[in-house]
Amino acid sequence: MSQQEDIASRFSGGLRVAIIGAGPAGFYAAAAWFKQKDINVHVDMFERLPSPFGLVRYGVAPDHARIKSVTRVYDKIASNEKFRYFGNVQYGTDLTLEDLSSHYDQIVFSVGTQGDRMLNVPGEELEGSVSAREFVAWYNGHPDYRDWKVDLSHKAVVVVGVGNVALDVARILAKTPDELRPTDIACHALDQLRESKVEDIYIIARRGPAQVKFTLHEIKEFGDFEAATTSVRTEDLELDPGSASELERNKAAQRNFEVLEKFSKVQHAANGKRVHFLFKTSPVEISGEGRVEGMRVVANRLEEQEGGYVQSIATDTFNDIPCGLVLRSVGYRGTPLAGLPFDEDRGVVANVNGRVVDKPCGTPIPGLYVAGWIKRGPSGVIGTNKPDAQETVKLMLEDAVRAAPCSNRGPEAVVELLKNRNVDFVDFARWERINQHELREGQEQGRSRIKLATSEEMLKI
Ligand code: NAP
């Protein structure tokens, strides 16, 4: 019997797959299933917010519209007749793991990462010390952050980390309201940024310019601000032997370095905002009486370790940067999901290549899978989730031939269950009405979109 025949005979009415989380990894998992033309598969996607697209809607910066256009691909996937979308359904309460296991043969979790890596320095908990993840969610209109407070009344901000998220948050602070206005930045954020008193944005990196994590397009944008200039200290460009050989090996790092070299020749304009890259600098303490007033930093030297990793080592030179806001941008971290084993060391659901495994033995738990950041950790760009999800689906396909079919096979059973629980779920047609509403409102105001920033507003449409 072929694999297709085996699956067809095992799962009456076709294989039933649930995807939890409507971000890029979830959509790519659905697409990978629909590519299996010979297999009759029905995909139901559940998302806790009414709106789909996860990090594309709530993570990608508002001024990066081109990256957001990938949602057209997801729209196409959603138009497959074997796909159903259930927005505004919370995993763990509206639908439990038990419910899902009885209605689906296989379940993929693609919920992303909702936590932060910490700096582990004193003062990190002070008011005014926030994670870049929260700041991003706030300016992108994430419903959980509609009433989140950030104080932009201070002159200086420190951003810790040199990944693309650090550049996103620094760029949003450096741009003028006129630069941001045409984008889909949340109205509440645009209003507050209009009143921003921020003038100096310090981006601090514990290692050197050869070890940055950001990408070329993103760093180049720091030379194109309407009313902000960007500087790099010339001494930061002096390379230790490890960094020199790292640059020699890595073309992308060389190109980034060339841009940073240009910034080292920049004289800040007399007026306008100033972005300062400070390399080989680590936070030691965030200071302040009740709220952030400054950051104590230490100068680092760099030393190549066995295997080539260039490590930062603190010296005894300290400095104080007065500031009223600290944005920690040192990476995201997954948070545990009800009923699934969690790998604390990696900050992801315990898994091997996408198969959820029990923690001590690493034995796969039948029917449970992960894709995206909750599987591999917060790395890569949106497109990285495609091969990641394909890898998971390949394993699901292998496992399907020995999987036990779920008991509740009727496609309407889950709809009835949600209705009985009074869950006001949003299907894709309803989401499309919300989408059209946002686009129309945006068009009327000369903006790309006016995002509805609460679930209630979306549900009213
Ligand atoms: P990231 O790329 O992993 O960068 C994290 C940064 O934090 C690194 O510079 C790292 O330095 C630093 N760091 C970590 N721990 C630190 C500590 N204790 N003290 C000081 N610095 C510390 O993470 P991310 O910026 O959050 O981005 C996540 C992923 O999303 C990345 O793959 C990114 O490319 C992607 N993304 C892409 C875009 C885009 O394409 N436009 C936009 C946003 C995000 P070390 O190198 O020294 O560890």
Side-chain angles (χ1 to χ4, degrees):
M1 201 191 279
S2 73
Q3 190 185 37
Q4 292 90 322
E5 286 164 347
D6 189 21
I7 291 175
S9 68
R10 185 175 285 266
F11 303 101
S12 72
L15 187 73
R16 298 185 46 71
V17 171
I19 296 177
I20 316 304
F27 276 97
Y28 290 128
W33 268 115
F34 294 142
K35 269 215 163 130
Q36 313 300 320
K37 297 276 183 237
D38 303 328
I39 292 178
N40 184 16
V41 60
H42 298 269
V43 175
D44 285 351
M45 180 181 273
F46 298 92
E47 162 62 49
R48 81 183 174 93
L49 296 175
S51 45
F53 309 145
L55 212 60
V56 175
R57 181 170 161 99
Y58 294 118
V60 173
D63 56 343
H64 280 176
R66 203 179 46 80
I67 302 181
K68 288 174 193 258
S69 62
V70 70
T71 56
R72 278 190 232 125
V73 175
Y74 307 153
D75 285 341
K76 182 136 189 279
I77 297 164
S79 70
N80 191 303
E81 58 181 11
K82 293 187 173 165
F83 177 94
R84 294 189 301 183
Y85 174 70
F86 296 87
N88 200 37
V89 178
Q90 175 84 46
Y91 168 71
T93 49
D94 295 333
L95 272 186
T96 63
L97 185 56
E98 223 177 7
D99 298 326
L100 288 166
S101 302
S102 70
H103 290 81
Y104 296 94
D105 303 312
Q106 295 183 321
I107 307 159
V108 192
F109 293 86
S110 51
V111 295
T113 49
Q114 261 104 56
D116 306 296
R117 279 193 214 134
M118 300 304 284
L119 291 173
N120 298 317
V121 299
E124 201 165 1
E125 70 299 336
L126 283 174
E127 194 188 325
S129 158
V130 299
S131 79
R133 180 185 57 79
E134 295 172 296
F135 189 65
V136 168
W138 170 74
Y139 66 59
N140 273 330
H142 191 294
D144 291 353
Y145 289 83
R146 173 63 189 87
D147 298 318
W148 186 73
K149 298 278 174 269
V150 61
D151 184 354
L152 303 177
S153 67
H154 303 270
K155 192 172 156 281
V157 176
V158 175
V159 179
V160 186
V162 277
N164 279 325
V165 173
L167 295 201
D168 280 349
V169 298
R171 200 175 62 251
I172 295 299
L173 288 169
K175 282 194 167 180
T176 62
D178 281 350
E179 284 174 287
L180 294 172
R181 197 181 174 280
T183 72
D184 68 357
I185 191 167
C187 298
H188 56 257
L190 185 59
D191 288 345
Q192 207 179 323
L193 285 160
R194 258 185 232 292
E195 306 300 321
S196 164
K197 297 283 182 286
V198 173
E199 290 178 12
D200 288 289
I201 301 152
Y202 297 91
I203 303 177
I204 71 169
R206 62 179 169 185
R207 300 193 289 153
Q211 289 86 29
V212 295
K213 292 276 172 66
F214 53 64
T215 39
L216 184 65
H217 175 262
E218 280 64 28
I219 187 62
K220 275 184 162 173
E221 290 177 292
F222 278 70
D224 297 332
F225 292 130
E226 213 169 272
T229 42
T230 302
S231 71
V232 171
R233 300 179 295 197
T234 37
E235 64 268 29
D236 280 357
L237 298 174
E238 287 162 17
L239 295 174
D240 59 284
S243 296
S245 63
E246 196 159 346
L247 264 195
E248 213 171 282
R249 290 193 303 268
N250 185 335
K251 278 254 172 308
Q254 281 167 30
R255 292 195 198 100
N256 285 332
F257 191 82
E258 284 161 19
V259 179
L260 294 170
E261 265 181 328
K262 281 189 197 149
F263 294 156
S264 73
K265 301 188 176 84
V266 166
Q267 293 291 319
H268 284 298
N271 38 36
K273 293 178 194 167
R274 296 167 289 269
V275 180
H276 316 258
F277 277 94
L278 308 180
F279 289 98
K280 295 180 244 180
T281 301
S282 281
V284 176
E285 182 178 358
I286 302 171
S287 55
E289 291 290 320
R291 76 167 328 289
V292 172
E293 290 169 21
M295 180 183 275
R296 168 147 279 223
V297 295
V298 65
N300 296 328
R301 62 183 177 80
L302 300 181
E303 200 178 273
E304 189 177 5
Q305 308 294 298
E306 240 180 53
Y309 180 81
V310 175
Q311 171 97 41
S312 62
I313 296 164
T315 66
D316 51 11
T317 306
F318 295 90
N319 250 309
D320 291 302
I321 308 174
C323 63
L325 179 65
V326 172
L327 289 168
R328 297 174 266 115
S329 185
V330 295
Y332 295 0
R333 192 182 148 80
T335 47
L337 279 167
L340 299 194
F342 194 69
D343 182 336
E344 285 291 345
D345 297 335
R346 294 173 59 212
V348 296
V349 167
N351 78 94
V352 176
N353 302 331
R355 277 186 184 117
V356 176
V357 295
D358 69 1
K359 256 304 274 314
C361 311
T363 312
I365 303 179
L368 301 186
Y369 301 86
V370 279
W373 280 9
I374 198 62
K375 163 186 170 183
R376 69 174 192 278
S379 66
V381 292
I382 302 289
T384 315
N385 293 298
K386 192 171 178 180
D388 175 303
Q390 285 168 342
E391 178 189 54
T392 297
V393 169
K394 188 164 172 276
L395 298 181
M396 292 170 78
L397 197 55
E398 274 174 28
D399 295 351
V401 292
R402 39 178 188 276
C406 66
S407 50
N408 238 324
R409 304 205 65 76
E412 286 312 307
V414 78
V415 178
E416 286 307 312
L417 184 76
L418 291 172
K419 281 185 178 163
N420 288 340
R421 290 181 183 169
N422 292 322
V423 180
D424 185 12
F425 61 84
V426 172
D427 62 14
F428 213 75
R430 191 167 167 201
W431 153 248
E432 202 32 60
R433 287 199 293 280
I434 298 169
N435 182 38
Q436 289 306 326
H437 171 91
E438 290 188 341
L439 291 172
R440 220 170 26 246
E441 293 275 305
Q443 201 172 26
E444 281 167 16
Q445 300 184 35
R447 304 194 49 204
S448 61
R449 168 191 297 273
I450 302 286
K451 273 187 185 169
L452 295 171
T454 63
S455 294
E456 292 72 30
E457 285 172 276
M458 285 192 250
L459 294 174
K460 265 194 219 149
I461 305 294

